[in-house]
Amino acid sequence: HPTQQLVIQLEANVTTGYQWEIDKTINRSVLLADGSKFSRTQQQRDQEDQVTEQYLRFVAQQPGRTRLQLVYVQPRVGTLENSPRYEVDVIVVPKPDETN
């Protein structure tokens, strides 16, 4: 529904400079990017694991459909042919009629 948040959690290793980024343009009238953050679990910290979780947040705007395509890249290098990818179709539906 419009104003709902979509949060995608993907593994990342920020020490290598890699991060998940939007690969293809999304329909911004349907979905807007609203930030990204990295976090490690307590277990990852205890094991001094460099793998973290990257959380990408989006906010639904208006009813419609868009394909969200993410790619795991080093920003200075850019997308390579074999760069890992993640895609999902996002459908925003109208809010239910609250008067019924």
Side-chain angles (χ1 to χ4, degrees):
H1 303 291
T3 73
Q4 281 189 308
Q5 290 187 358
L6 168 66
V7 178
I8 297 177
Q9 174 186 351
L10 297 167
E11 252 185 32
N13 187 339
V14 293
T15 61
T16 62
Y18 280 86
Q19 64 185 18
W20 288 95
E21 294 184 347
I22 296 173
D23 187 30
K24 304 282 185 192
T25 303
I26 58 176
N27 183 342
R28 293 186 299 169
S29 67
V30 175
L31 190 69
L32 280 180
D34 189 37
S36 173
K37 75 173 191 171
F38 295 89
S39 179
R40 285 194 302 168
T41 65
Q42 187 60 49
Q43 182 179 5
Q44 288 168 328
R45 280 190 221 98
D46 292 345
Q47 295 175 354
E48 297 182 10
D49 192 344
Q50 298 303 312
V51 173
T52 60
E53 303 296 323
Q54 183 177 353
Y55 297 86
L56 298 107
R57 188 175 58 216
F58 301 86
V59 178
Q61 299 301 298
Q62 66 181 18
R65 172 183 229 142
T66 190
R67 175 164 287 185
L68 176 58
Q69 298 178 14
L70 304 172
V71 62
Y72 193 55
V73 298
Q74 282 184 310
R76 294 180 308 258
V77 175
T79 304
L80 303 174
E81 189 174 315
N82 62 345
S83 295
R85 295 173 189 283
Y86 176 87
E87 4 184 296
V88 62
D89 287 322
V90 178
I91 302 169
V92 177
V93 297
K95 285 186 177 182
D97 186 1
E98 297 177 357
T99 60
N100 291 337

XYZ file of all heavy atoms in Angstrom:
818
model
N 0.834 -1.185 0.000
C 0.000 0.000 0.000
C 0.878 1.247 0.000
O 2.000 1.208 0.522
C -0.893 0.015 1.239
C -1.764 -1.197 1.378
N -2.812 -1.456 0.537
C -1.737 -2.217 2.265
C -3.394 -2.584 0.902
N -2.771 -3.070 1.943
N 0.412 2.346 -0.553
C 1.180 3.590 -0.473
C 1.565 3.906 0.971
O 0.804 3.642 1.895
C 0.208 4.632 -1.035
C -0.633 3.851 -2.004
C -0.820 2.511 -1.328
N 2.750 4.411 1.151
C 3.415 4.776 2.417
C 4.021 3.576 3.144
O 4.761 3.770 4.096
C 2.520 5.576 3.397
O 1.536 4.720 3.966
C 1.893 6.783 2.723
N 3.739 2.339 2.722
C 4.371 1.195 3.370
C 5.842 1.132 2.998
O 6.243 1.556 1.917
C 3.712 -0.117 2.960
C 2.423 -0.400 3.678
C 1.945 -1.811 3.396
O 1.837 -2.214 2.237
N 1.660 -2.552 4.442
N 6.646 0.571 3.915
C 8.072 0.408 3.663
C 8.372 -1.013 3.215
O 7.738 -1.960 3.671
C 8.884 0.701 4.919
C 8.890 2.142 5.308
C 9.838 2.395 6.462
O 10.459 1.494 6.998
N 9.947 3.646 6.850
N 9.342 -1.112 2.337
C 9.892 -2.393 1.904
C 11.360 -2.374 2.315
O 12.093 -1.450 1.950
C 9.773 -2.548 0.379
C 10.561 -3.698 -0.249
C 10.014 -5.048 0.213
C 10.524 -3.596 -1.767
N 11.769 -3.373 3.101
C 13.162 -3.465 3.518
C 13.727 -4.769 2.976
O 13.166 -5.836 3.209
C 13.315 -3.414 5.054
C 14.775 -3.570 5.452
C 12.748 -2.111 5.603
N 14.830 -4.658 2.246
C 15.502 -5.830 1.689
C 16.821 -5.997 2.429
O 17.596 -5.045 2.553
C 15.725 -5.670 0.180
C 14.360 -5.581 -0.513
C 16.562 -6.822 -0.372
C 14.422 -5.351 -1.991
N 17.069 -7.206 2.930
C 18.272 -7.523 3.689
C 19.121 -8.494 2.860
O 18.663 -9.571 2.504
C 17.871 -8.170 5.013
C 19.022 -8.682 5.821
C 18.549 -9.450 7.057
O 17.369 -9.466 7.389
N 19.480 -10.090 7.726
N 20.355 -8.066 2.541
C 21.258 -8.893 1.747
C 22.635 -8.919 2.399
O 23.063 -7.928 3.001
C 21.372 -8.326 0.323
C 20.084 -8.320 -0.490
C 20.238 -7.460 -1.736
C 19.692 -9.734 -0.867
N 23.326 -10.043 2.259
C 24.688 -10.144 2.776
C 25.619 -9.237 2.006
O 25.518 -9.118 0.785
C 25.191 -11.585 2.641
C 25.294 -12.290 3.941
C 25.913 -13.675 3.822
O 26.779 -13.920 2.956
O 25.507 -14.513 4.629
N 26.554 -8.614 2.721
C 27.535 -7.731 2.085
C 28.836 -7.807 2.881
O 28.852 -8.272 4.013
C 27.007 -6.301 2.054
N 29.912 -7.337 2.278
C 31.199 -7.259 2.967
C 31.772 -5.878 2.685
O 32.476 -5.672 1.696
C 32.139 -8.363 2.486
C 33.417 -8.408 3.292
O 33.808 -7.447 3.943
N 34.093 -9.541 3.249
N 31.465 -4.924 3.544
C 31.855 -3.535 3.292
C 33.359 -3.328 3.344
O 33.864 -2.361 2.774
C 31.153 -2.563 4.265
C 29.669 -2.540 4.005
C 31.444 -2.905 5.707
N 34.102 -4.234 3.993
C 35.554 -4.065 4.052
C 36.188 -4.202 2.675
O 37.288 -3.714 2.449
C 36.200 -5.068 5.024
O 35.931 -6.392 4.570
C 35.674 -4.884 6.432
N 35.489 -4.845 1.738
C 36.010 -4.997 0.374
C 35.607 -3.826 -0.516
O 36.041 -3.724 -1.649
C 35.477 -6.292 -0.277
O 34.053 -6.200 -0.375
C 35.878 -7.517 0.519
N 34.723 -2.970 0.009
C 34.243 -1.846 -0.782
C 32.993 -2.172 -1.577
O 32.444 -1.315 -2.254
N 32.534 -3.416 -1.497
C 31.334 -3.809 -2.233
C 30.075 -3.412 -1.472
O 30.059 -3.419 -0.241
C 31.302 -5.324 -2.465
C 32.157 -5.771 -3.611
C 33.506 -6.030 -3.428
C 31.619 -5.930 -4.877
C 34.299 -6.448 -4.483
C 32.403 -6.351 -5.945
C 33.743 -6.606 -5.736
O 34.516 -7.010 -6.787
N 29.039 -3.074 -2.217
C 27.730 -2.796 -1.635
C 26.656 -3.035 -2.678
O 26.936 -3.081 -3.869
C 27.655 -1.376 -1.107
C 27.795 -0.320 -2.183
C 27.836 1.078 -1.583
O 28.085 1.256 -0.402
N 27.580 2.070 -2.405
N 25.425 -3.214 -2.187
C 24.285 -3.391 -3.078
C 23.774 -2.030 -3.510
O 23.634 -1.126 -2.682
C 23.179 -4.174 -2.378
C 23.525 -5.614 -2.196
C 24.076 -6.193 -1.088
C 23.378 -6.657 -3.152
N 24.273 -7.525 -1.302
C 23.845 -7.836 -2.561
C 22.883 -6.700 -4.460
C 23.836 -9.058 -3.232
C 22.877 -7.916 -5.124
C 23.348 -9.082 -4.512
N 23.525 -1.878 -4.811
C 22.999 -0.633 -5.374
C 21.899 -0.961 -6.370
O 21.849 -2.065 -6.921
C 24.098 0.142 -6.105
C 25.187 0.645 -5.208
C 26.215 1.489 -5.951
O 26.215 1.490 -7.202
O 27.023 2.135 -5.271
N 21.046 0.016 -6.630
C 20.012 -0.155 -7.653
C 20.699 -0.249 -9.010
O 21.519 0.592 -9.352
C 19.012 1.012 -7.620
C 18.263 1.021 -6.285
C 18.025 0.910 -8.783
C 17.381 2.233 -6.084
N 20.383 -1.306 -9.760
C 21.024 -1.549 -11.055
C 20.276 -0.877 -12.200
O 20.875 -0.301 -13.084
C 21.114 -3.058 -11.305
C 21.920 -3.395 -12.549
O 22.840 -2.636 -12.895
O 21.628 -4.424 -13.177
N 18.992 -0.975 -12.202
C 18.169 -0.396 -13.264
C 17.236 0.630 -12.646
O 16.853 0.524 -11.485
C 17.330 -1.472 -13.967
C 18.136 -2.618 -14.533
C 18.800 -2.235 -15.819
C 19.498 -3.454 -16.395
N 20.379 -3.177 -17.450
N 16.829 1.575 -13.426
C 15.923 2.602 -12.930
C 14.591 1.979 -12.533
O 14.039 1.166 -13.273
C 15.695 3.667 -14.017
O 16.956 4.210 -14.391
C 14.801 4.776 -13.519
N 14.107 2.352 -11.350
C 12.793 1.897 -10.910
C 11.776 2.987 -11.212
O 12.138 4.152 -11.385
C 12.777 1.543 -9.409
C 13.198 2.744 -8.547
C 13.624 0.344 -9.119
C 13.108 2.507 -7.057
N 10.525 2.611 -11.268
C 9.450 3.575 -11.473
C 9.257 4.324 -10.158
O 8.646 3.806 -9.222
C 8.170 2.869 -11.911
C 7.045 3.832 -12.199
O 7.063 4.982 -11.783
N 6.051 3.337 -12.916
N 9.811 5.540 -10.075
C 9.792 6.292 -8.821
C 8.408 6.821 -8.461
O 8.214 7.285 -7.352
C 10.824 7.409 -8.857
C 12.235 6.812 -8.892
C 13.300 7.832 -8.779
N 13.231 8.766 -9.895
C 13.893 9.884 -9.977
N 14.703 10.242 -9.010
N 13.777 10.668 -11.027
N 7.461 6.748 -9.377
C 6.098 7.116 -8.989
C 5.460 5.981 -8.189
O 4.464 6.175 -7.502
C 5.251 7.451 -10.213
O 5.039 6.304 -11.006
N 6.054 4.776 -8.241
C 5.556 3.611 -7.517
C 6.395 3.349 -6.267
O 5.862 3.039 -5.198
C 5.560 2.358 -8.424
C 5.159 1.109 -7.654
C 4.644 2.566 -9.620
N 7.724 3.482 -6.361
C 8.625 3.101 -5.279
C 9.817 4.047 -5.237
O 10.425 4.315 -6.265
C 9.119 1.666 -5.521
C 9.876 0.990 -4.415
C 8.960 0.696 -3.231
C 10.494 -0.317 -4.923
N 10.124 4.542 -4.042
C 11.287 5.417 -3.869
C 12.294 4.785 -2.925
O 11.915 4.215 -1.889
C 10.869 6.767 -3.272
C 10.271 7.800 -4.194
C 9.926 9.064 -3.409
C 11.193 8.134 -5.343
N 13.567 4.902 -3.266
C 14.630 4.471 -2.360
C 14.637 5.407 -1.161
O 14.458 6.617 -1.298
C 15.974 4.515 -3.080
N 14.829 4.835 0.039
C 14.763 5.634 1.263
C 15.915 5.311 2.210
O 15.769 5.346 3.417
C 13.415 5.402 1.952
C 13.167 6.358 3.101
O 13.551 7.536 2.988
O 12.592 5.920 4.122
N 17.058 4.931 1.661
C 18.231 4.748 2.500
C 18.739 3.326 2.535
O 18.091 2.377 2.092
N 19.940 3.213 3.091
C 20.622 1.935 3.196
C 21.502 1.979 4.433
O 22.050 3.029 4.770
C 21.480 1.709 1.942
O 22.265 0.558 2.071
N 21.622 0.842 5.120
C 22.540 0.781 6.253
C 23.141 -0.610 6.341
O 22.605 -1.570 5.786
C 21.856 1.169 7.557
C 20.947 0.127 8.132
C 20.453 0.522 9.504
C 19.755 -0.654 10.162
N 19.439 -0.422 11.536
N 24.262 -0.697 7.041
C 24.961 -1.958 7.232
C 24.910 -2.315 8.710
O 24.950 -1.435 9.569
C 26.422 -1.841 6.784
C 26.571 -1.584 5.316
C 26.600 -0.295 4.823
C 26.665 -2.637 4.423
C 26.737 -0.045 3.470
C 26.792 -2.406 3.062
C 26.826 -1.115 2.591
N 24.844 -3.615 9.000
C 24.784 -4.059 10.383
C 25.389 -5.456 10.475
O 25.306 -6.238 9.534
C 23.331 -4.084 10.854
O 23.258 -4.526 12.184
N 26.008 -5.733 11.623
C 26.516 -7.077 11.879
C 25.786 -7.648 13.082
O 25.517 -6.929 14.045
C 28.021 -7.057 12.175
C 28.853 -6.837 10.957
C 30.300 -7.147 11.161
N 30.886 -6.373 12.241
C 32.072 -6.619 12.762
N 32.805 -7.602 12.322
N 32.554 -5.885 13.733
N 25.511 -8.939 13.041
C 24.886 -9.594 14.185
C 25.928 -9.742 15.292
O 27.135 -9.629 15.052
C 24.369 -10.991 13.807
O 25.484 -11.820 13.461
C 23.370 -10.931 12.655
N 25.468 -10.020 16.495
C 26.396 -10.233 17.614
C 27.316 -11.409 17.314
O 28.503 -11.364 17.604
C 25.634 -10.453 18.913
C 26.546 -10.517 20.131
C 27.348 -9.236 20.337
O 26.785 -8.155 20.318
N 28.647 -9.353 20.502
N 26.785 -12.464 16.710
C 27.590 -13.635 16.365
C 28.690 -13.249 15.367
O 29.828 -13.683 15.498
C 26.713 -14.743 15.790
C 27.499 -15.998 15.450
C 26.611 -17.109 14.893
O 25.426 -16.920 14.668
N 27.209 -18.249 14.671
N 28.350 -12.424 14.373
C 29.359 -11.980 13.411
C 30.441 -11.152 14.119
O 31.615 -11.296 13.819
C 28.705 -11.165 12.293
C 27.877 -12.005 11.347
C 27.007 -11.177 10.422
O 26.535 -10.094 10.781
N 26.774 -11.684 9.222
N 30.041 -10.304 15.060
C 31.023 -9.509 15.821
C 31.908 -10.411 16.663
O 33.122 -10.236 16.709
C 30.307 -8.494 16.710
C 29.850 -7.275 15.981
C 29.368 -6.209 16.974
N 28.180 -5.604 16.443
C 26.931 -5.907 16.755
N 26.665 -6.783 17.670
N 25.923 -5.305 16.175
N 31.289 -11.380 17.357
C 32.043 -12.288 18.220
C 33.079 -13.081 17.430
O 34.172 -13.350 17.921
C 31.102 -13.255 18.947
C 30.224 -12.560 19.980
O 30.524 -11.398 20.339
O 29.233 -13.181 20.416
N 32.743 -13.457 16.216
C 33.648 -14.245 15.380
C 34.551 -13.362 14.526
O 35.307 -13.853 13.704
C 32.843 -15.176 14.473
C 32.070 -16.216 15.232
C 31.177 -17.054 14.330
O 31.042 -16.803 13.146
N 30.563 -18.062 14.911
N 34.450 -12.041 14.726
C 35.209 -11.070 13.935
C 35.013 -11.311 12.437
O 35.923 -11.171 11.635
C 36.687 -11.076 14.333
C 36.890 -10.656 15.769
C 38.338 -10.613 16.186
O 39.228 -10.727 15.335
O 38.563 -10.465 17.395
N 33.797 -11.698 12.105
C 33.408 -11.956 10.722
C 33.235 -10.623 10.000
O 32.621 -9.700 10.529
C 32.083 -12.732 10.726
C 31.720 -13.321 9.374
O 32.306 -12.896 8.358
O 30.843 -14.192 9.352
N 33.774 -10.501 8.815
C 33.672 -9.260 8.054
C 32.371 -9.153 7.264
O 32.041 -8.103 6.742
C 34.866 -9.109 7.102
C 36.193 -9.023 7.817
C 36.235 -7.881 8.831
O 35.860 -6.758 8.527
N 36.670 -8.195 10.034
N 31.646 -10.268 7.179
C 30.370 -10.245 6.469
C 29.359 -9.491 7.320
O 29.280 -9.680 8.528
C 29.881 -11.669 6.162
C 28.477 -11.661 5.577
C 30.842 -12.353 5.213
N 28.608 -8.631 6.695
C 27.565 -7.870 7.373
C 26.276 -8.028 6.599
O 26.231 -8.685 5.559
C 27.923 -6.371 7.444
O 28.062 -5.876 6.107
C 29.210 -6.132 8.194
N 25.249 -7.425 7.102
C 23.973 -7.375 6.409
C 23.782 -5.943 5.925
O 24.034 -5.001 6.667
C 22.827 -7.753 7.343
C 22.977 -9.120 7.991
C 22.946 -10.267 7.005
O 22.175 -10.198 6.033
O 23.685 -11.237 7.205
N 23.335 -5.797 4.688
C 22.986 -4.478 4.174
C 21.474 -4.434 4.069
O 20.852 -5.328 3.509
C 23.617 -4.207 2.812
C 23.309 -2.809 2.300
C 23.998 -2.485 0.978
O 24.817 -3.247 0.483
N 23.654 -1.348 0.418
N 20.903 -3.400 4.654
C 19.462 -3.193 4.622
C 19.173 -2.039 3.677
O 19.687 -0.939 3.868
C 18.929 -2.862 6.015
C 19.125 -3.990 7.003
C 20.313 -4.117 7.713
C 18.131 -4.927 7.210
C 20.507 -5.151 8.615
C 18.313 -5.967 8.113
C 19.502 -6.068 8.809
O 19.686 -7.102 9.697
N 18.377 -2.294 2.661
C 17.975 -1.254 1.708
C 16.492 -0.996 1.921
O 15.683 -1.927 1.895
C 18.239 -1.710 0.277
C 19.719 -1.970 -0.012
C 19.977 -3.442 -0.121
C 20.157 -1.248 -1.239
N 16.141 0.258 2.153
C 14.767 0.617 2.474
C 14.142 1.404 1.324
O 14.777 2.284 0.741
C 14.735 1.441 3.756
C 13.336 1.685 4.277
C 13.340 2.396 5.598
N 14.031 3.662 5.475
C 14.793 4.205 6.415
N 14.985 3.582 7.547
N 15.367 5.369 6.220
N 12.894 1.060 1.035
C 12.117 1.711 -0.018
C 10.746 2.054 0.542
O 10.267 1.398 1.475
C 11.966 0.777 -1.223
C 13.286 0.365 -1.809
C 13.974 -0.721 -1.310
C 13.848 1.081 -2.852
C 15.204 -1.096 -1.834
C 15.077 0.719 -3.386
C 15.754 -0.367 -2.870
N 10.106 3.068 -0.028
C 8.767 3.466 0.404
C 7.829 3.449 -0.806
O 8.139 4.042 -1.845
C 8.772 4.882 1.043
C 7.363 5.301 1.435
C 9.693 4.913 2.252
N 6.701 2.767 -0.632
C 5.681 2.714 -1.685
C 5.055 4.094 -1.840
O 4.775 4.773 -0.850
C 4.620 1.683 -1.329
N 4.838 4.497 -3.093
C 4.303 5.824 -3.371
C 2.843 5.788 -3.785
O 2.000 6.349 -3.124
C 5.137 6.501 -4.469
C 6.590 6.701 -4.079
C 6.726 7.557 -2.833
O 6.320 8.700 -2.829
N 7.282 6.989 -1.775
N 2.562 5.165 -4.908
C 1.194 5.091 -5.410
C 1.010 3.736 -6.079
O 1.982 3.059 -6.407
C 0.906 6.226 -6.394
C 1.700 6.151 -7.682
C 1.387 7.319 -8.614
O 0.859 8.326 -8.213
N 1.724 7.152 -9.872
N -0.235 3.306 -6.267
C -0.464 1.995 -6.873
C 0.235 1.868 -8.227
O 0.286 2.811 -9.013
C -1.987 1.940 -7.020
C -2.484 2.826 -5.914
C -1.484 3.953 -5.858
N 0.780 0.698 -8.452
C 1.479 0.392 -9.695
C 2.432 -0.762 -9.490
O 2.437 -1.418 -8.444
N 3.255 -0.991 -10.491
C 4.196 -2.121 -10.468
C 5.546 -1.647 -10.990
O 5.617 -0.861 -11.935
C 3.642 -3.226 -11.356
C 4.584 -4.357 -11.577
C 3.998 -5.389 -12.519
N 4.188 -6.667 -11.876
C 3.347 -7.665 -11.879
N 2.212 -7.563 -12.509
N 3.624 -8.782 -11.255
N 6.612 -2.167 -10.375
C 7.954 -1.884 -10.865
C 8.856 -3.060 -10.524
O 8.584 -3.803 -9.577
C 8.516 -0.561 -10.276
O 9.723 -0.228 -10.961
C 8.797 -0.662 -8.790
N 9.884 -3.242 -11.287
C 10.878 -4.282 -11.000
C 12.065 -3.607 -10.332
O 12.640 -2.664 -10.868
C 11.329 -4.979 -12.270
C 12.472 -5.976 -11.979
C 12.691 -6.916 -13.072
N 11.563 -7.853 -13.020
C 11.444 -8.906 -13.791
N 12.353 -9.160 -14.679
N 10.416 -9.695 -13.694
N 12.404 -4.106 -9.166
C 13.549 -3.602 -8.419
C 14.728 -4.534 -8.698
O 14.665 -5.724 -8.399
C 13.219 -3.563 -6.932
C 14.338 -3.148 -5.990
C 14.879 -1.772 -6.339
C 13.847 -3.183 -4.559
N 15.778 -3.993 -9.308
C 16.959 -4.781 -9.651
C 18.165 -4.186 -8.922
O 18.479 -3.012 -9.100
C 17.189 -4.761 -11.157
C 16.042 -5.383 -11.927
C 16.254 -5.308 -13.431
O 17.331 -5.029 -13.920
N 15.197 -5.564 -14.177
N 18.800 -5.026 -8.106
C 19.970 -4.604 -7.344
C 21.190 -5.356 -7.853
O 21.094 -6.482 -8.335
C 19.767 -4.901 -5.859
C 18.523 -4.286 -5.226
C 18.332 -4.809 -3.810
C 18.621 -2.773 -5.220
N 22.353 -4.724 -7.720
C 23.606 -5.345 -8.140
C 24.643 -5.079 -7.051
O 24.646 -4.019 -6.421
C 24.066 -4.822 -9.529
C 24.348 -3.338 -9.502
C 25.254 -5.604 -10.048
N 25.512 -6.058 -6.818
C 26.555 -5.991 -5.794
C 27.845 -5.515 -6.464
O 28.438 -6.243 -7.267
C 26.732 -7.385 -5.194
C 27.538 -7.465 -3.941
C 27.211 -6.712 -2.818
C 28.625 -8.338 -3.854
C 27.938 -6.821 -1.650
C 29.354 -8.447 -2.693
C 29.005 -7.693 -1.593
O 29.740 -7.806 -0.424
N 28.246 -4.284 -6.171
C 29.364 -3.676 -6.897
C 30.300 -2.905 -5.972
O 29.938 -2.538 -4.866
C 28.865 -2.693 -7.984
C 28.030 -3.384 -9.016
C 28.102 -1.540 -7.380
N 31.489 -2.645 -6.494
C 32.376 -1.652 -5.913
C 32.077 -0.363 -6.665
O 32.270 -0.315 -7.890
C 33.845 -2.026 -6.105
C 34.341 -3.079 -5.148
C 35.828 -3.305 -5.341
O 36.292 -3.507 -6.454
N 36.560 -3.281 -4.249
N 31.590 0.674 -5.984
C 31.178 1.887 -6.697
C 32.240 2.468 -7.631
O 31.908 2.959 -8.698
C 30.836 2.851 -5.559
C 30.400 1.946 -4.451
C 31.293 0.735 -4.572
N 33.516 2.389 -7.265
C 34.565 2.953 -8.130
C 34.787 2.115 -9.386
O 35.273 2.611 -10.389
C 35.882 3.070 -7.362
C 35.845 4.057 -6.223
C 37.187 4.110 -5.534
N 37.644 2.772 -5.163
C 37.587 2.259 -3.949
N 37.103 2.951 -2.969
N 38.031 1.052 -3.708
N 34.446 0.826 -9.306
C 34.675 -0.087 -10.432
C 33.443 -0.175 -11.320
O 33.546 -0.206 -12.539
C 35.066 -1.490 -9.919
C 35.199 -2.474 -11.065
C 36.341 -1.416 -9.102
N 32.261 -0.230 -10.714
C 31.026 -0.348 -11.480
C 30.597 -1.793 -11.659
O 31.203 -2.723 -11.141
N 29.552 -1.967 -12.411
C 28.958 -3.285 -12.630
C 29.786 -4.093 -13.611
O 30.182 -3.602 -14.660
C 27.529 -3.122 -13.179
O 26.785 -2.314 -12.276
C 26.851 -4.461 -13.345
N 30.034 -5.348 -13.253
C 30.728 -6.285 -14.136
C 29.721 -7.325 -14.622
O 28.642 -7.485 -14.049
C 31.872 -6.969 -13.385
C 32.908 -6.033 -12.759
C 33.906 -6.827 -11.926
C 33.613 -5.220 -13.828
N 30.082 -8.032 -15.665
C 29.182 -9.036 -16.235
C 28.763 -10.087 -15.212
O 27.633 -10.550 -15.195
C 29.860 -9.714 -17.434
C 28.934 -10.616 -18.208
C 29.600 -11.161 -19.460
O 30.249 -10.389 -20.179
O 29.464 -12.373 -19.688
N 29.691 -10.470 -14.329
C 29.396 -11.528 -13.359
C 29.055 -10.988 -11.965
O 29.078 -11.724 -10.991
C 30.562 -12.513 -13.276
C 31.834 -11.847 -12.791
O 31.945 -10.622 -12.766
N 32.801 -12.654 -12.412
N 28.718 -9.704 -11.859
C 28.341 -9.127 -10.568
C 27.074 -9.798 -10.046
O 26.114 -9.981 -10.801
C 28.082 -7.625 -10.706
O 29.259 -6.936 -11.063
N 27.048 -10.182 -8.752
C 25.834 -10.771 -8.187
C 24.656 -9.805 -8.296
O 24.831 -8.585 -8.200
C 26.200 -11.007 -6.719
C 27.694 -11.106 -6.722
C 28.147 -10.150 -7.784
N 23.485 -10.363 -8.509
C 22.284 -9.543 -8.691
C 21.141 -10.100 -7.848
O 21.126 -11.279 -7.506
C 21.858 -9.535 -10.152
C 22.876 -8.878 -11.048
C 22.534 -9.026 -12.529
N 23.626 -8.563 -13.348
C 23.927 -7.296 -13.578
N 23.209 -6.350 -13.044
N 24.951 -6.954 -14.338
N 20.201 -9.212 -7.563
C 18.975 -9.574 -6.855
C 17.846 -8.792 -7.502
O 17.986 -7.594 -7.735
C 19.094 -9.197 -5.367
C 17.832 -9.451 -4.583
C 17.594 -10.695 -4.023
C 16.899 -8.455 -4.403
C 16.438 -10.950 -3.301
C 15.736 -8.689 -3.684
C 15.519 -9.934 -3.139
O 14.372 -10.174 -2.431
N 16.746 -9.448 -7.830
C 15.611 -8.732 -8.400
C 14.312 -9.208 -7.784
O 14.191 -10.357 -7.380
C 15.443 -8.839 -9.905
C 16.257 -9.645 -10.720
C 15.953 -9.524 -12.210
O 14.846 -9.889 -12.644
O 16.848 -9.089 -12.929
N 13.377 -8.272 -7.733
C 12.056 -8.576 -7.201
C 11.054 -7.642 -7.875
O 11.350 -6.488 -8.155
C 12.026 -8.422 -5.663
C 12.319 -7.011 -5.224
C 10.718 -8.902 -5.080
N 9.874 -8.196 -8.202
C 8.787 -7.370 -8.717
C 8.022 -6.812 -7.525
O 7.662 -7.559 -6.606
C 7.844 -8.190 -9.607
C 8.466 -8.518 -10.946
O 9.170 -7.658 -11.504
O 8.258 -9.641 -11.434
N 7.796 -5.519 -7.538
C 7.086 -4.854 -6.448
C 5.749 -4.362 -6.980
O 5.692 -3.679 -8.005
C 7.904 -3.663 -5.903
C 7.140 -2.934 -4.809
C 9.269 -4.137 -5.405
N 4.687 -4.726 -6.284
C 3.345 -4.296 -6.648
C 2.779 -3.497 -5.482
O 2.684 -4.009 -4.364
C 2.437 -5.495 -6.965
C 3.036 -6.321 -8.110
C 1.030 -5.027 -7.311
C 2.357 -7.655 -8.326
N 2.429 -2.258 -5.756
C 1.793 -1.410 -4.753
C 0.311 -1.364 -5.092
O -0.062 -1.004 -6.206
C 2.403 0.010 -4.753
C 1.684 0.893 -3.744
C 3.903 -0.051 -4.463
N -0.514 -1.771 -4.138
C -1.965 -1.787 -4.345
C -2.594 -0.637 -3.570
O -2.020 -0.153 -2.595
C -2.582 -3.141 -3.927
C -2.040 -4.272 -4.788
C -2.331 -3.430 -2.467
N -3.785 -0.197 -4.004
C -4.447 0.886 -3.273
C -4.724 0.480 -1.827
O -4.906 -0.702 -1.523
C -5.761 1.093 -4.026
C -5.555 0.454 -5.365
C -4.549 -0.631 -5.163
N -4.762 1.468 -0.954
C -5.138 1.192 0.435
C -6.572 0.702 0.465
O -7.420 1.184 -0.303
C -5.017 2.457 1.275
C -3.600 2.839 1.599
C -3.568 4.000 2.555
C -2.120 4.319 2.914
N -2.036 5.415 3.873
N -6.869 -0.230 1.368
C -8.259 -0.685 1.468
C -9.154 0.482 1.889
O -8.733 1.364 2.622
C -8.225 -1.756 2.547
C -6.813 -1.926 2.949
C -5.987 -0.887 2.284
N -10.364 0.460 1.403
C -11.321 1.511 1.736
C -11.657 1.406 3.226
O -12.235 0.427 3.665
C -12.584 1.377 0.885
C -13.549 2.526 1.085
O -13.230 3.445 1.869
O -14.611 2.498 0.475
N -11.266 2.390 3.983
C -11.454 2.350 5.435
C -12.871 2.755 5.861
O -13.193 2.701 7.025
C -10.426 3.249 6.111
C -9.011 2.784 5.874
C -7.963 3.710 6.470
O -8.331 4.752 7.029
O -6.790 3.360 6.361
N -13.687 3.160 4.917
C -15.046 3.573 5.273
C -16.007 2.394 5.355
O -17.119 2.538 5.840
C -15.598 4.591 4.254
O -15.614 3.998 2.958
C -14.753 5.855 4.256
N -15.630 1.219 4.838
C -16.514 0.051 4.878
C -16.371 -0.697 6.167
O -15.432 -0.857 6.764
C -16.244 -0.897 3.714
C -16.671 -0.291 2.394
O -17.512 0.598 2.360
N -16.080 -0.753 1.320
